[in-house]
Amino acid sequence: MSRMLPSSDQLFAYITDIGAREHPALRRCREETAKHPHSGMQIGPDQGAAMALLAQLISTSRYLEIGTFTGYSALAVALAMPDDGRVVCCDVSKEFTDIARRYWGEAGVAAKIELRLGPAVETLDRMIATGEAAFDFAFIDADKESYDAYYERALKLVRAGGLIALDNMLWSGKVADPSECDETTAALRALNRKIHDDDRVDMAMLALGDGVMLARKR
Ligand code: CA
């Protein structure tokens, strides 16, 4: 069977160039974030394009994001959504999401996006309690130790046939190495196994970026 390609700077540059039709605001957001000390938290253009395409394939009009950082993924999906589409972003950082807001405005999609600042578990529990309208697509990309809590809540908030995508599920390959047993690796490894065995969803692991687990709610 074919295997993941060995990565190289040359190949990465090629994927960045050819693998996505990147909106100018997305490019500027990516370039500004690249100078940031936490730049590794940003998804690549190829992943942004894949998420936008997935959003279109399932006719996403409501997108939920848990962990927004400087706004690249929310912008990529918002640009692929209809004018009346709605994005709800959960994050704890005003500093990072102020950068996000600037690019959402620049791209003309700020009106589609609502930012809810605060611990996401509380925000999600409030949405469940108040009967928030169902989402078509949820993306989980925040603190890894809480992923299971986010996944359980996303399962409640996404419609049947809707999609949950979880980022960094290969964790630089550490999940496959039994000698790696730090708390974060253990949490992601356990969640990968749980989703693999979870009959509430159909699933596939993509070797995209740092690993994206896709779970379609049955
Ligand atoms: Ca990530």
Side-chain angles (χ1 to χ4, degrees), residues 66-112:
I66 302 160
T68 286
F69 190 40
T70 56
Y72 189 96
S73 45
L75 179 53
V77 175
L79 285 165
M81 285 168 62
D83 289 341
D84 63 351
R86 188 95 183 128
V87 173
V88 176
C89 290
C90 306
D91 203 281
V92 288
S93 171
K94 181 170 186 310
E95 181 197 343
F96 294 156
T97 52
D98 278 350
I99 299 170
R101 282 184 201 273
R102 195 150 34 81
Y103 289 105
W104 298 341
E106 201 179 296
V109 297
K112 290 183 193 175

Coordinates of all heavy atoms in Angstrom, one line a residue, residues 66-112:
I66 N -13.7 24.9 18.1 CA -13.2 24.9 19.5 C -11.7 25.1 19.4 O -11.0 24.1 19.1 CB -13.7 23.6 20.2 CG1 -15.2 23.4 20.1 CG2 -13.1 23.5 21.6 CD1 -15.7 22.0 20.3
G67 N -11.3 26.3 19.7 CA -9.9 26.6 19.5 C -9.6 27.3 18.2 O -9.5 26.7 17.2
T68 N -9.6 28.6 18.3 CA -9.5 29.5 17.0 C -8.2 30.1 16.8 O -7.8 30.3 15.6 CB -10.7 30.5 17.1 OG1 -11.9 29.8 16.9 CG2 -10.5 31.6 16.1
F69 N -7.4 30.4 17.8 CA -6.1 31.0 17.7 C -6.2 32.2 16.8 O -7.0 33.1 17.1 CB -5.1 29.9 17.1 CG -3.7 30.3 17.1 CD1 -3.1 30.9 18.2 CD2 -2.8 29.9 16.1 CE1 -1.8 31.3 18.2 CE2 -1.5 30.3 16.1 CZ -1.0 30.9 17.1
T70 N -5.4 32.4 15.8 CA -5.4 33.6 15.0 C -6.4 33.6 13.8 O -6.3 34.4 12.9 CB -4.0 34.0 14.5 OG1 -3.5 32.9 13.8 CG2 -3.1 34.3 15.7
G71 N -7.3 32.6 13.8 CA -8.4 32.6 12.9 C -8.3 32.0 11.6 O -9.3 32.1 10.8
Y72 N -7.2 31.3 11.2 CA -7.1 30.8 9.9 C -8.1 29.8 9.5 O -8.8 29.9 8.4 CB -5.7 30.2 9.7 CG -5.3 29.8 8.3 CD1 -4.6 30.7 7.5 CD2 -5.7 28.6 7.7 CE1 -4.3 30.4 6.2 CE2 -5.4 28.3 6.4 CZ -4.7 29.2 5.6 OH -4.4 28.9 4.3
S73 N -8.3 28.8 10.3 CA -9.3 27.7 10.0 C -10.7 28.3 9.9 O -11.5 27.9 9.0 CB -9.2 26.5 11.0 OG -9.2 27.0 12.3
A74 N -11.1 29.1 10.9 CA -12.4 29.7 10.8 C -12.6 30.5 9.5 O -13.7 30.5 8.9 CB -12.7 30.6 12.1
L75 N -11.6 31.2 9.1 CA -11.7 32.0 7.9 C -11.8 31.2 6.7 O -12.6 31.4 5.8 CB -10.5 33.0 7.8 CG -10.4 33.9 6.6 CD1 -11.7 34.7 6.4 CD2 -9.2 34.8 6.7
A76 N -11.0 30.1 6.7 CA -11.0 29.2 5.5 C -12.4 28.6 5.3 O -13.0 28.5 4.2 CB -10.0 28.1 5.7
V77 N -13.0 28.2 6.4 CA -14.4 27.6 6.3 C -15.4 28.7 6.1 O -16.3 28.5 5.2 CB -14.7 26.8 7.6 CG1 -16.2 26.3 7.6 CG2 -13.7 25.6 7.8
A78 N -15.3 29.8 6.7 CA -16.3 30.9 6.5 C -16.4 31.3 5.1 O -17.4 31.6 4.5 CB -16.0 32.1 7.4
L79 N -15.2 31.4 4.4 CA -15.2 31.8 3.0 C -15.9 30.8 2.1 O -16.3 31.1 1.0 CB -13.7 32.0 2.6 CG -13.0 33.2 3.1 CD1 -11.5 33.1 2.9 CD2 -13.5 34.5 2.3
A80 N -16.0 29.5 2.6 CA -16.6 28.5 1.8 C -18.1 28.3 2.1 O -18.8 27.5 1.4 CB -15.9 27.1 2.0
M81 N -18.6 29.1 3.0 CA -20.0 29.0 3.4 C -20.9 30.1 2.7 O -20.4 31.1 2.3 CB -20.1 29.1 4.9 CG -19.6 27.9 5.7 SD -19.3 28.1 7.4 CE -21.0 28.6 8.0
P82 N -22.2 29.8 2.6 CA -23.1 30.7 2.0 C -23.1 32.0 2.9 O -22.7 32.1 4.0 CB -24.4 30.0 2.1 CG -24.3 28.9 3.1 CD -22.9 28.6 3.1
D83 N -23.7 33.1 2.3 CA -23.7 34.4 2.9 C -24.4 34.4 4.3 O -24.1 35.1 5.2 CB -24.4 35.4 2.0 CG -23.5 35.8 0.8 OD1 -22.2 35.5 0.9 OD2 -24.0 36.3 -0.2
D84 N -25.5 33.5 4.3 CA -26.2 33.4 5.6 C -25.6 32.3 6.6 O -26.3 32.0 7.5 CB -27.7 33.1 5.3 CG -27.9 31.8 4.6 OD1 -26.9 31.2 4.2 OD2 -29.1 31.4 4.5
G85 N -24.4 31.8 6.2 CA -23.8 30.9 7.1 C -23.4 31.5 8.4 O -23.2 32.7 8.5
R86 N -23.2 30.6 9.4 CA -22.9 31.1 10.8 C -21.8 30.2 11.3 O -21.8 29.0 11.3 CB -24.2 30.8 11.6 CG -24.1 31.4 13.0 CD -24.7 32.8 13.0 NE -24.6 33.5 14.3 CZ -24.1 34.7 14.4 NH1 -23.7 35.4 13.4 NH2 -24.1 35.2 15.6
V87 N -20.8 31.0 11.8 CA -19.6 30.3 12.5 C -19.6 30.7 13.9 O -19.7 31.9 14.3 CB -18.3 30.8 11.8 CG1 -17.1 30.3 12.5 CG2 -18.3 30.4 10.3
V88 N -19.5 29.8 14.8 CA -19.3 30.1 16.2 C -18.0 29.6 16.7 O -17.7 28.4 16.5 CB -20.4 29.4 17.1 CG1 -20.2 29.7 18.6 CG2 -21.8 29.9 16.7
C89 N -17.1 30.5 17.2 CA -15.8 30.2 17.6 C -15.6 30.3 19.1 O -16.0 31.3 19.7 CB -14.8 31.2 17.0 SG -14.6 31.0 15.2
C90 N -15.1 29.2 19.7 CA -14.8 29.2 21.1 C -13.3 29.3 21.3 O -12.5 28.6 20.7 CB -15.2 27.9 21.8 SG -16.9 27.5 21.5
D91 N -12.8 30.3 22.1 CA -11.4 30.4 22.4 C -11.3 31.1 23.8 O -12.2 31.7 24.2 CB -10.7 31.2 21.3 CG -9.2 30.9 21.3 OD1 -8.4 31.4 22.1 OD2 -8.8 30.0 20.5
V92 N -10.1 31.0 24.4 CA -9.9 31.6 25.7 C -9.0 32.9 25.5 O -8.9 33.7 26.4 CB -9.2 30.7 26.7 CG1 -10.1 29.6 27.2 CG2 -7.9 30.1 26.1
S93 N -8.4 33.1 24.3 CA -7.5 34.2 24.2 C -8.0 35.4 23.4 O -8.3 35.3 22.2 CB -6.2 33.7 23.5 OG -5.3 34.8 23.2
K94 N -8.1 36.5 24.1 CA -8.5 37.8 23.4 C -7.3 38.2 22.5 O -7.5 38.7 21.4 CB -8.8 38.8 24.4 CG -9.3 40.1 23.8 CD -9.8 41.1 24.8 CE -10.4 42.4 24.0 NZ -9.4 43.0 23.1
E95 N -6.1 38.0 23.0 CA -4.9 38.5 22.3 C -4.9 37.8 20.9 O -4.7 38.5 19.9 CB -3.7 38.1 23.1 CG -2.4 38.5 22.4 CD -1.2 37.8 23.0 OE1 -1.3 37.3 24.1 OE2 -0.1 37.8 22.4
F96 N -5.0 36.5 20.9 CA -4.9 35.8 19.6 C -6.1 36.1 18.7 O -6.0 36.3 17.5 CB -4.8 34.3 19.8 CG -3.6 33.8 20.5 CD1 -3.5 32.6 21.2 CD2 -2.4 34.6 20.4 CE1 -2.4 32.2 21.8 CE2 -1.2 34.2 21.1 CZ -1.2 33.0 21.8
T97 N -7.3 36.1 19.3 CA -8.5 36.3 18.5 C -8.7 37.7 18.0 O -9.4 37.9 17.0 CB -9.8 35.8 19.2 OG1 -9.9 36.4 20.5 CG2 -9.8 34.3 19.4
D98 N -8.0 38.7 18.6 CA -8.0 40.0 18.1 C -7.3 40.0 16.7 O -7.8 40.7 15.8 CB -7.3 41.0 19.0 CG -8.2 41.5 20.1 OD1 -9.4 41.2 20.1 OD2 -7.7 42.2 21.1
I99 N -6.3 39.2 16.6 CA -5.6 39.1 15.3 C -6.6 38.4 14.3 O -6.8 38.9 13.1 CB -4.4 38.2 15.4 CG1 -3.4 38.9 16.3 CG2 -3.7 37.9 14.0 CD1 -2.2 38.0 16.7
A100 N -7.3 37.4 14.8 CA -8.3 36.7 13.9 C -9.4 37.7 13.4 O -9.7 37.7 12.2 CB -9.0 35.6 14.7
R101 N -9.9 38.5 14.3 CA -11.0 39.4 13.9 C -10.5 40.3 12.8 O -11.3 40.7 11.9 CB -11.4 40.2 15.1 CG -12.3 39.6 16.1 CD -12.6 40.6 17.2 NE -13.1 40.0 18.4 CZ -14.3 39.7 18.7 NH1 -15.3 39.8 17.8 NH2 -14.6 39.2 19.9
R102 N -9.3 40.7 12.9 CA -8.7 41.7 11.9 C -8.8 41.0 10.5 O -9.3 41.6 9.5 CB -7.3 42.0 12.2 CG -6.7 43.2 11.5 CD -5.7 43.9 12.4 NE -4.8 43.1 13.2 CZ -3.7 42.4 12.8 NH1 -3.4 42.4 11.5 NH2 -3.0 41.8 13.7
Y103 N -8.4 39.8 10.4 CA -8.5 39.1 9.0 C -9.9 38.7 8.6 O -10.2 38.7 7.4 CB -7.5 37.9 9.0 CG -6.1 38.3 9.1 CD1 -5.3 38.2 10.2 CD2 -5.5 38.9 8.0 CE1 -4.0 38.7 10.3 CE2 -4.2 39.4 8.0 CZ -3.5 39.3 9.2 OH -2.2 39.8 9.2
W104 N -10.7 38.4 9.6 CA -12.1 38.1 9.2 C -12.8 39.4 8.6 O -13.5 39.3 7.6 CB -12.9 37.7 10.4 CG -12.4 36.4 11.1 CD1 -11.6 35.5 10.5 CD2 -12.7 35.9 12.4 NE1 -11.4 34.4 11.4 CE2 -12.0 34.7 12.5 CE3 -13.4 36.4 13.5 CZ2 -12.0 34.0 13.7 CZ3 -13.4 35.7 14.7 CH2 -12.8 34.5 14.8
G105 N -12.4 40.5 9.2 CA -12.9 41.8 8.7 C -12.4 42.1 7.3 O -13.1 42.5 6.3
E106 N -11.1 41.9 7.1 CA -10.4 42.1 5.9 C -11.0 41.3 4.7 O -11.1 41.7 3.6 CB -8.9 41.7 6.0 CG -8.0 42.4 5.0 CD -6.6 41.9 5.3 OE1 -6.0 42.3 6.4 OE2 -6.0 41.2 4.5
A107 N -11.4 40.0 5.1 CA -12.0 39.1 4.1 C -13.5 39.3 3.9 O -14.1 38.7 3.0 CB -11.7 37.7 4.5
G108 N -14.1 40.2 4.7 CA -15.5 40.5 4.5 C -16.4 39.4 5.1 O -17.6 39.3 4.7
V109 N -16.0 38.6 6.0 CA -16.8 37.6 6.6 C -17.1 37.7 8.1 O -17.7 36.9 8.7 CB -16.2 36.1 6.3 CG1 -16.1 35.9 4.8 CG2 -14.9 36.0 7.0
A110 N -16.7 38.9 8.6 CA -16.8 39.1 10.1 C -18.3 38.9 10.5 O -18.5 38.4 11.6 CB -16.3 40.5 10.5
A111 N -19.2 39.3 9.7 CA -20.6 39.2 10.1 C -21.1 37.8 10.3 O -22.1 37.5 11.0 CB -21.5 39.9 9.1
K112 N -20.4 36.8 9.6 CA -20.8 35.4 9.8 C -20.3 34.8 11.1 O -20.7 33.7 11.4 CB -20.2 34.6 8.6 CG -20.7 34.8 7.3 CD -20.0 33.8 6.3 CE -20.2 34.2 4.9 NZ -19.4 33.3 4.0

